[in-house]
């Protein structure tokens, strides 16, 4: 089951309203296996069919802060944090289609964090984002279905691996 909260309460920033968004899902796989798939910024095999292309930009590998990618020819992103001990990565959207273009959104930071579910060796995955925008609800309405779809892809990726074993 995917949980989605459209947006939390925003705060007024210098350039629009700063908003948080939150999505989560449970993946029926151990945290280390899920982390092995998620941690490489240049590898989104688990995101198919929603992610159709990932283009690495520059020489920095996908497991190093500063790695850049372009998703589906539209979203230019940079890895800002990769915390192996906390199973967390954060990235910025540097450019994208409306309503997440650099003209409409600033200070965008998305984060994916994994937490172990010890009772059944599963993984709780949460995808959060914060950004400033003049129309934050429009941004949330655009991004939340993307995050929900990607989380469902991640869950299904591991379900398919389990059924093939």
């Amino acid at each position: 089951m995917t949980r989605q909260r459209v947006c939390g309460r925003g705060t007024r920033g210098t350039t629009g309203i700063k908003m948080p968004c939150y999505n989560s899902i449970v993946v029926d796989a151990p945290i280390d296996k899920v982390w092995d798939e998620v941690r490489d910024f240049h590898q989104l095999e688990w995101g198919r069919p929603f992610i159709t292309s990932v283009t690495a930009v520059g020489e920095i590998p996908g497991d190093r802060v500063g790695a850049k990618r372009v998703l589906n020819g539209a979203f230019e992103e940079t890895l800002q944090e990769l915390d192996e001990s906390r199973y967390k990565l954060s990235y910025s959207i540097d450019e994208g289609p409306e309503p997440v273009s650099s003209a409409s959104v600033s200070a965008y930071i998305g984060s994916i964090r994994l937490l172990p579910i010890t009772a059944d060796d599963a993984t709780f995955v949460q995808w959060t984002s914060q950004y400033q925008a003049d129309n934050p609800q429009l941004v949330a309405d655009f991004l939340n279905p993307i995050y929900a779809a990607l989380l469902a892809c991640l869950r299904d990726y591991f379900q398919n691996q389990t059924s093939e074993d």
Side-chain angles (χ1 to χ4, degrees):
M1 172 185 303
T2 303
R3 297 278 182 203
Q4 175 179 328
R5 184 181 69 177
V6 174
C7 272
R9 294 184 56 189
T11 56
R12 176 66 60 185
T14 56
T15 57
I17 299 174
K18 187 170 188 174
M19 294 295 291
C21 291
Y22 181 89
N23 291 267
S24 64
I25 201 163
V26 172
V27 175
D28 189 19
I31 192 168
D32 289 322
K33 285 188 176 185
V34 178
W35 181 244
D36 284 345
E37 292 298 324
V38 171
R39 68 182 291 283
D40 186 343
F41 199 60
H42 292 155
Q43 194 288 109
L44 273 101
E45 188 67 28
W46 56 267
R48 294 185 187 279
F50 197 79
I51 298 297
T52 58
S53 69
V54 180
T55 304
V57 178
E59 301 297 320
I60 301 174
D63 62 352
R64 299 285 184 255
V65 169
K68 293 182 179 291
R69 69 184 180 194
V70 178
L71 297 180
N72 293 351
F75 294 87
E76 298 175 20
E77 301 177 337
T78 302
L79 183 62
Q80 301 292 331
E81 174 187 18
L82 186 67
D83 188 332
E84 302 279 355
S85 66
R86 292 177 51 219
Y87 299 99
K88 180 182 177 188
L89 69 84
S90 297
Y91 64 96
S92 60
I93 295 180
D94 307 319
E95 193 57 77
E98 287 298 333
V100 295
S101 72
S102 60
S104 300
V105 173
S106 63
Y108 176 95
I109 296 292
S111 296
I112 300 172
R113 175 115 192 255
L114 311 182
L115 298 166
I117 301 174
T118 58
D120 56 2
D121 205 20
T123 303
F124 180 76
V125 183
Q126 61 186 63
W127 198 320
T128 61
S129 63
Q130 290 194 339
Y131 51 86
Q132 291 183 337
D134 289 330
N135 191 339
Q137 191 61 55
L138 180 64
V139 174
D141 291 345
F142 179 76
L143 290 176
N144 275 311
I146 293 171
Y147 301 148
L150 285 170
L151 287 170
C153 286
L154 182 63
R155 178 200 58 216
D156 295 347
Y157 177 82
F158 281 97
Q159 282 179 340
N160 292 338
Q161 282 189 342
T162 302
S163 65
E164 292 173 5
D165 290 345

